[in-house]
Amino acid sequence: NIMRALLPQLSSSKSVERRVGIAAALKHCAKDKDEHYYLDDELHAPVVALRVLADQRDIDKRRNKEEKVAECFTAVSVGNREDDPQVALFLLEALNCFCATRRCRRRLKAVDAYAVVRDTDLAFSPGTAEDDDDDDQAPKGVLVTTEDCPQEEQEEEENGISSRISRVCADIADMLL
């Protein structure tokens, strides 16, 4: 299967266009529930998507607060979160499709996917800075949506993608909580 060759390139490719294409292909494959077994059990595609969306700084913060950190994030170095909003959106939409089956939902819960989705939502919300260490002010476990942040400085296209990211994150949170 071509996805076996493409998935490793999600985190290693320097080309944004290639990563967008791979994320879009994963999203479209994830829409077919019959492929969930292969994508999840054989390729571990949901975990690969989560590793691309995860940020080592967020994982370190959770570890310092003695919160649960799944082994799939501690066994290998995660690195930095995907910085392109279109790639992140496609990966989140793929995760949303994976949540359609009970088997994938259980696996996503087991690897604490909600924490990664929450952190991704915060990272792509307008008006939030990635370097802020004032995370203690926000209630723990609450997703921030774009409606809660000022949008005047953002371009319309970025707002559209950011609001779609927030909606998909909220949909995933509904299924995982």
Side-chain angles (χ1 to χ4, degrees), residues 9 40 72 91 175:
Q9 295 179 36
D40 186 25
C72 67
L91 292 175
M175 289 189 253

Side-chain angles (χ1 to χ4, degrees), residues 129-144:
E130 187 68 26
D131 298 328
D132 286 347
D133 288 332
D134 301 332
D135 297 272
D136 299 329
Q137 294 177 355
K140 183 177 174 185
V142 176
L143 286 171
V144 175

Side-chain angles (χ1 to χ4, degrees), residues 45-79:
V47 174
V48 171
L50 286 172
R51 281 191 191 135
V52 172
L53 292 171
D55 190 283
Q56 189 63 47
R57 291 175 293 185
D58 293 331
I59 292 169
D60 292 340
K61 284 180 192 177
R62 285 201 307 264
R63 193 177 294 131
N64 290 339
K65 293 180 181 180
E66 297 179 7
E67 293 180 18
K68 178 181 130 187
V69 177
E71 184 180 328
C72 67
F73 299 117
T74 58
V76 294
S77 178
V78 172

